[in-house]
Amino acid sequence: MTLLAPLGALGRATLALLAMVGRVALFALSALSHMLRPPFYGREFGAALMNVGWLSLPVVGLTAIFTGGALALQIYSGGARFSAEAVVPQIVAIGIVRELGPVLVGLMIAARVTSSIAAEIATMKVTEQIDALVTLSTDPMKYLVAPRVLAALIVVPLLVAVGDVIGIFGGYAVATGTLGFNAAAYLKNTVDFLEPLDIISSLVKGCAFGGLAALMGCYFGMTSGRGAQGVGRATKGSVEAAAILILAANFLLTGAFFSL
Amino acid sequence: MIDLQGVTKAFGNNHVLRGVDLTIERGTSMVIIGGSGTGKSVLLKCILGLVAPDAGTITLEGTDVTKTDRDAFLARFGMLFQGAALFDSLPVWQNVAFRLLQGRDRLPKPEARDRAIEKLRRVGLKADVADRLPAELSGGMQKRVGLARAIAADPEIIFFDEPTTGLDPIMAGVINELIREIVTEMGATAMTITHDMTSVRAISDRVAMLHDGVIQWTGPVSQLDSSGDPYVAQFISGSAEGPIEAVR
């Protein structure tokens, strides 16, 4: 019996994980179906657009500009080892647009938006505001979840596009300011090198990461335990889950776009 | 009329309701008393469908509540939550008028706002609180806003969950008086959960005591002091000695 105990524990953990995957999948399907059927809550949707999109711009912009600048420095110093310093514009562009732009924006959204959605909805649950919504004939999935997930699906790709541009600008500023690159040549190399698929993959990743980030915030908020500890656990769990899912989805999407 | 027959509910091994039978006649004010953790709130949430009972039937005017149109069913109810449960992100008037601003028959905003202010006045609040956020109000004011929200759509049935918990005795008295007045003038059926005996005497027509998952005693409030039930006697006297264990 003692020898089998670890196997039993492994089995229980696997079953618990699969059950959670099932619950999250059902929750996602429910959120999707509520997004498509009336009533629609325009005010909630507008507030979510503002929170996820507009108010995330500073953190996204700062993350992108520093990352772009650091990337230019790294590629220049790394490329100098085999006389390939000239590829800085191309590698910055491809690195930012294909990978760093969407992933960093996704992770910033997980840190900023997933946590705030989870904490807000969990607090509403703990203080019976979710029950109050139900007694007022309002479906929390429609009123709280659908607007937030829809807003993230729409606005995070736009944030990624903004992040891509600012990231490339960060690389451009460092390269032309300190590494001696010609400004016009840098921009021409960047534009010539990028392909439509690079940009499409970036936006698709943004859409997927935004959806995952909002969904995790809503799921953990709606399933929060009681009290301050429940809210804390929901917030922590939502950010962990969103970050891991974003990185896993990034791997799968990169494979789907570029390994064929 | 609300009728509960054999309602049971367990959370894991914790059997909260073990077969509740209770009838609340139309237009009466029923107060459910019982110690903390005896399942009073669960019972109320079972009626509203916020918690699904494991067994038993709950009917409203003879119709099983699980088989009725949910929106139409909930439209007949108003509820005052224990912590008021006001929506933090909305100003007071939008909290009060929340139901009036939803659904197919929703009112235009100015009309809904007027109605909200009228209900705020009814619970003793001035119009200038209408644009404040709930976090800017005291506990007593939040409770009154919650009460205004509960009565905003003139419901037939109103539930009050611990309406005086956390309030000072004067504010508790104000809330008790308001509940009694409103229930009487609206002719609504009321169900209140409390362990505040002052509330019980101020609000109720009939009293039911929930203990150990069943209704231990029910009767008119006038018979509360002479019920002859040892559980009720211990509860209303607040004595540590008796059939109800003091340490639970």
Side-chain angles (χ1 to χ4, degrees):
Chain A
M1 282 302 275
T2 325
L3 286 173
L4 291 176
L7 284 177
L10 185 66
R12 278 192 294 279
T14 309
L15 286 174
L17 181 68
L18 290 174
M20 180 161 171
V21 169
R23 282 195 296 271
V24 171
L26 288 175
F27 185 84
L29 284 175
S30 170
L32 189 66
S33 80
H34 283 292
M35 261 183 250
L36 303 173
R37 288 180 290 129
F40 304 110
Y41 293 97
R43 185 187 170 280
E44 291 298 304
F45 177 64
L49 276 182
M50 184 63 93
N51 181 35
V52 180
W54 182 250
L55 297 178
S56 298
L57 270 175
V59 72
V60 164
L62 287 170
T63 307
I65 200 160
F66 288 129
T67 306
L71 194 59
L73 289 173
Q74 288 281 20
I75 294 161
Y76 187 80
S77 75
R81 293 178 189 170
F82 48 97
S83 304
E85 300 95 324
V87 296
V88 168
Q90 291 89 337
I91 305 294
V92 165
I94 210 162
I96 291 285
V97 173
R98 282 189 179 191
E99 277 296 318
L100 291 172
V103 169
L104 289 177
V105 169
L107 292 177
M108 283 297 131
I109 293 297
R112 195 188 164 275
V113 175
T114 307
S115 57
S116 87
I117 291 176
E120 184 184 3
I121 295 181
T123 305
M124 288 184 76
K125 189 169 182 221
V126 168
T127 55
E128 295 187 304
Q129 292 178 51
I130 305 270
D131 284 346
L133 275 178
V134 176
T135 63
L136 292 163
S137 306
T138 302
D139 187 336
M141 287 298 288
K142 273 195 197 309
Y143 186 77
L144 297 174
V145 177
R148 284 164 173 78
V149 176
L150 184 61
L153 284 171
I154 292 169
V155 88
V156 175
L158 300 177
L159 281 176
V160 168
V162 171
D164 288 349
V165 171
I166 295 176
I168 289 171
F169 173 76
Y172 165 86
V174 169
T176 57
T178 64
L179 303 177
F181 278 75
N182 176 276
Y186 189 101
L187 288 178
K188 185 174 185 313
N189 281 337
T190 300
V191 173
D192 288 349
F193 192 71
L194 280 177
E195 291 180 3
L197 186 64
D198 299 330
I199 295 160
I200 291 168
S201 77
S202 195
L203 299 181
V204 169
K205 282 181 176 183
C207 189
F209 300 167
L212 286 170
L215 207 56
M216 287 303 101
C218 293
Y219 175 77
F220 279 86
M222 293 289 280
T223 55
S224 151
R226 289 180 179 183
Q229 203 174 37
V231 176
R233 279 195 185 138
T235 309
K236 182 188 68 159
S238 70
V239 176
E240 286 171 352
I244 290 167
L245 286 175
I246 284 169
L247 294 173
N250 179 57
F251 173 70
L252 295 174
L253 286 170
T254 301
F257 274 107
F258 300 111
S259 70
L260 297 175
Chain B
M1 184 180 77
I2 304 167
D3 190 45
L4 294 91
Q5 293 297 325
V7 175
T8 66
K9 180 67 192 176
F11 297 97
N13 293 326
N14 182 17
H15 294 269
V16 181
L17 305 178
R18 296 169 182 266
V20 171
D21 301 320
L22 184 67
T23 301
I24 304 154
E25 296 293 340
R26 183 196 275 258
T28 60
S29 175
M30 168 69 85
V31 172
I32 314 282
I33 58 172
S36 300
T38 50
K40 303 188 299 294
S41 291
V42 173
L43 180 65
L44 201 145
K45 287 180 179 179
C46 281
I47 299 173
L48 284 168
L50 297 172
V51 171
D54 297 332
T57 57
I58 301 170
T59 59
L60 175 64
E61 312 291 359
T63 309
D64 190 327
V65 298
T66 59
K67 292 174 183 147
T68 184
D69 172 38
R70 187 129 179 83
D71 279 352
F73 168 75
L74 288 170
R76 301 172 71 175
F77 283 87
M79 171 138 182
L80 171 60
F81 284 85
Q82 188 173 346
L86 301 177
F87 305 126
D88 305 316
S89 58
L90 300 179
V92 163
W93 81 264
Q94 286 188 27
N95 265 281
V96 175
F98 192 89
R99 186 189 282 284
L100 308 174
L101 292 165
Q102 315 292 328
R104 261 175 261 143
D105 303 324
R106 62 174 165 266
L107 297 179
K109 269 194 169 181
E111 203 176 316
R113 186 185 158 87
D114 288 346
R115 181 92 77 93
I117 288 172
E118 176 201 324
K119 296 296 179 187
L120 286 170
R121 284 215 179 90
R122 180 65 197 86
V123 298
L125 291 171
K126 290 179 186 161
D128 61 3
V129 301
D131 293 313
R132 285 160 73 178
L133 287 170
E136 297 167 349
L137 306 179
S138 68
M141 288 167 94
Q142 287 186 10
K143 215 80 175 212
R144 283 196 266 181
V145 174
L147 184 54
R149 182 173 72 182
I151 62 170
D154 299 323
E156 296 166 45
I157 304 153
I158 315 176
F159 285 176
F160 303 98
D161 187 1
E162 307 274 10
T164 57
T165 298
L167 300 180
D168 65 67
I170 295 167
M171 188 51 67
V174 169
I175 295 285
N176 285 336
E177 271 179 38
L178 274 172
I179 290 174
R180 183 73 253 184
E181 281 171 25
I182 286 167
V183 168
T184 306
E185 78 188 26
M186 289 173 67
T189 306
M191 184 168 162
T192 307
I193 284 170
T194 187
H195 36 57
D196 173 357
M197 291 311 298
T198 312
S199 270
V200 176
R201 295 179 201 284
I203 295 172
S204 64
D205 297 322
R206 291 182 67 79
V207 181
M209 177 157 181
L210 184 65
H211 180 72
D212 211 15
V214 295
I215 298 293
Q216 202 69 41
W217 177 84
T218 184
V221 66
S222 56
Q223 291 176 12
L224 189 63
D225 294 315
S226 55
S227 67
D229 185 280
Y231 291 89
V232 174
Q234 184 188 355
F235 191 85
I236 62 176
S237 67
S239 168
E241 303 296 322
I244 303 172
E245 290 175 33
V247 180
R248 280 171 272 149

